[in-house]
Amino acid sequence: MPQELKSATGSAPRRSDEGVAARVRAIVDDVRTRGDAAVREYADRFDGRAPERLTPARVDELVASLPQQVVDDIRFVQDQVRGFARVQRESLHDVEVETLPGVVLGHRHVPVGSAGAYVPGGRYPLTASAHMTIVTAKAAGVPHVVACTPPIRGEVPAATVAAMHLAGADEIHVLGGVQAVAAMALGTESVSPVDMLAGPGNAYVAEAKRQLFGEVGIDLFAGPTEILVVADDTADPLTVAVDLLSQAEHGPDSPAVLVTTSATLGRAVLDLVGRLLPGLPTNDLAGPAWYDHGRIVVCDDADEMWRVADDLASEHVQVLTAEPRDALERMRNYGALFLGENTCVSYGDKVIGTNHVLPTLGAARYTGGLWVGKYLKTCTYQEVRDPAASAELGRVCGRASRVELFEGHARSGDLRAWRHGGDRFGWLDDVTAATPAAPAAGS
């Protein structure tokens, strides 16, 4: 049985909170009713400044205000994201197949018409979220992307705006929180309505997306960032400790978990985390995350380690074992895998090119993260070119529909069997009495 060297002492994060849900519902309803007027009031209250739709000239001014190295780095990272997203898009093929003589079925991958990208801020300029949401949408072929980000300490975050612009956003607003999500989903006088929403955010943003799902599509339901490190006795304790804290700094409710076959490693990591935390500038977030939600689980053997890891269905899974690629066969429940000591979750968050908008709170059991496919609708089409095939399908359709007592469906099939196969049906005789002879088969 697994043994815990360190257990979580805080309550587990939840997908929704009644108090948060009620406050979000009130804001969404207000934006739905009053549009821009409501958005301005909430922006003044929560963002500390009026919302602003940035003009091309203002965007150029903000980009020019940044050091060239910052702009170059944004371009580099977006090249990585765009390159991988394009490979993903190219892997998705339209299909068309003749399933029976004269019966053609197919599907096409059709981009949504518009997407809203929420790029969080407030405390830090989270430029990487612009790469993940906007670049990926554009690689999927989305024609119009609306992007919103909150001000930081009352100022327009120039680096975030640059990332949005260089990613290809068609409309950029300095606007945050529930009011931004609601404005994009519902549309206002100043903000264009979108077909789907994407991007991470705090509990209020996540709840707004949850409530608006159905009116618009969303990428996925998100909770606090999670990291799981899977390690054996070959792992370096310092690497494990540093990488656990790299994700704990996302917030005080971000779980950081080590699952290992080595009690020696577990004890060393526990000691190192305690020594590293006091000197970490984000200790105010990482400390509570580790002490309340951090865990170290020691397993009897590798089979148990992989089983425990898979049951956790974590957002980020970093594999520090002698054979890290074993995870590709041993695990099925994860948002993203990071294989080997040369790789880390922070690369996925910031620079490597895979998408960092990933499932949390166990959602990895049923979904992956944001990718070009989330912005595509796989739409089918059907065409029966052979009248004889239509007649035969009509006969089967009639029989199958009557088993389910769907007479209207059955008659649609009957009509084709009569028209193309010469079949006779009492209900049709009644309506075609003036011309009782059925059409010739195949006519």
Side-chain angles (χ1 to χ4, degrees), residues 233-297:
D233 58 6
T234 67
D236 169 49
L238 181 60
T239 300
V240 175
V242 168
D243 289 348
L244 285 170
L245 292 180
S246 75
Q247 297 302 297
E249 73 176 357
H250 274 280
D253 52 359
S254 291
V257 179
L258 167 63
V259 175
T260 180
T261 53
S262 171
T264 301
L265 174 72
R267 286 189 290 268
V269 169
L270 186 60
D271 175 67
L272 281 164
V273 169
R275 290 160 54 192
L276 288 165
L277 268 172
L280 187 66
T282 51
N283 184 23
D284 60 326
L285 299 174
W290 174 250
Y291 291 119
D292 294 343
H293 301 288
R295 297 173 63 195
I296 297 177
V297 181

Side-chain angles (χ1 to χ4, degrees), residues 117-152:
Y118 186 77
V119 181
R123 201 175 154 146
Y124 306 114
L126 298 178
T127 58
S129 291
H131 316 329
M132 305 302 170
T133 53
I134 303 167
V135 169
T136 307
K138 285 299 183 180
V142 178
H144 192 83
V145 176
V146 180
C148 288
T149 195
I152 296 178

Side-chain angles (χ1 to χ4, degrees), residues 50-416:
E52 179 183 0
R53 178 170 176 168
L54 300 181
T55 64
R58 178 70 169 127
V59 170
D60 289 344
E61 175 189 332
L62 289 163
V63 174
S65 73
L66 294 168
Q68 188 59 44
Q69 187 65 62
V70 171
V71 176
D72 290 345
D73 287 345
I74 289 173
R75 291 186 187 277
F76 171 84
V77 176
Q78 291 187 351
D79 284 345
Q80 311 318 302
V81 176
R82 186 177 296 107
F84 188 63
R86 284 175 174 167
V87 169
Q88 289 182 313
R89 179 64 185 91
E90 289 164 3
S91 75
L92 297 170
H93 302 289
D94 294 349
V95 300
E96 186 173 284
V97 60
E98 190 172 29
T99 57
L100 294 167
V103 178
V104 176
L105 308 182
H107 76 223
R108 299 176 62 238
H109 299 295
V110 182
V112 299
S114 58
Y118 186 77
V119 181
R123 201 175 154 146
Y124 306 114
L126 298 178
T127 58
S129 291
H131 316 329
M132 305 302 170
T133 53
I134 303 167
V135 169
T136 307
K138 285 299 183 180
V142 178
H144 192 83
V145 176
V146 180
C148 288
T149 195
I152 296 178
R153 292 177 289 278
E155 299 298 323
V156 178
T160 305
V161 170
M164 291 167 146
H165 169 64
L166 296 172
D170 301 283
E171 192 175 314
I172 299 175
H173 298 264
V174 181
L175 176 65
V178 175
Q179 59 273 19
V181 174
M184 289 189 289
L186 304 172
T188 72
E189 300 90 328
S190 301
V191 182
S192 300
V194 299
D195 298 317
M196 72 167 288
L197 295 164
N202 63 18
Y204 289 88
V205 168
E207 177 62 22
K209 287 168 63 181
R210 190 186 71 82
Q211 291 188 19
L212 289 160
F213 176 58
E215 292 188 68
V216 293
I218 65 171
D219 48 359
L220 47 89
F221 296 114
T225 293
E226 306 162 349
I227 181 173
L228 166 64
V229 175
V230 181
D232 59 18
D233 58 6
T234 67
D236 169 49
L238 181 60
T239 300
V240 175
V242 168
D243 289 348
L244 285 170
L245 292 180
S246 75
Q247 297 302 297
E249 73 176 357
H250 274 280
D253 52 359
S254 291
V257 179
L258 167 63
V259 175
T260 180
T261 53
S262 171
T264 301
L265 174 72
R267 286 189 290 268
V269 169
L270 186 60
D271 175 67
L272 281 164
V273 169
R275 290 160 54 192
L276 288 165
L277 268 172
L280 187 66
T282 51
N283 184 23
D284 60 326
L285 299 174
W290 174 250
Y291 291 119
D292 294 343
H293 301 288
R295 297 173 63 195
I296 297 177
V297 181
V298 180
C299 299
D300 291 335
D301 55 32
D303 287 340
E304 185 174 73
M305 177 182 70
W306 291 120
R307 185 166 60 252
V308 170
D310 210 41
D311 287 345
L312 289 171
S314 186
E315 177 188 19
H316 305 103
V317 179
Q318 188 161 330
V319 184
L320 300 173
T321 61
E323 297 293 339
R325 290 181 68 86
D326 286 350
L328 296 170
E329 301 299 328
R330 300 298 295 265
M331 296 189 68
R332 67 173 63 242
N333 300 327
Y334 53 86
L337 289 175
F338 301 83
L339 304 178
E341 67 174 11
N342 294 330
T343 318
C344 61
V345 176
S346 295
Y347 285 178
D349 282 348
K350 305 299 182 186
V351 298
I352 206 168
T354 50
N355 207 292
H356 78 197
V357 181
L358 297 166
T360 61
L361 299 175
R365 292 178 293 106
Y366 60 82
T367 187
L370 181 60
W371 69 299
V372 290
K374 292 281 188 179
Y375 292 101
L376 299 171
K377 303 173 293 180
T378 302
C379 303
T380 60
Y381 60 91
Q382 308 83 38
E383 181 182 11
V384 182
R385 297 172 179 170
D386 183 348
S390 184
E392 184 55 31
L393 288 171
R395 296 178 186 114
V396 178
C397 180
R399 295 193 298 269
S401 298
R402 289 188 173 97
V403 168
E404 298 180 348
L405 306 182
F406 273 65
E407 182 61 25
H409 287 64
R411 291 184 179 190
S412 284
D414 293 350
L415 183 67
R416 275 75 186 176

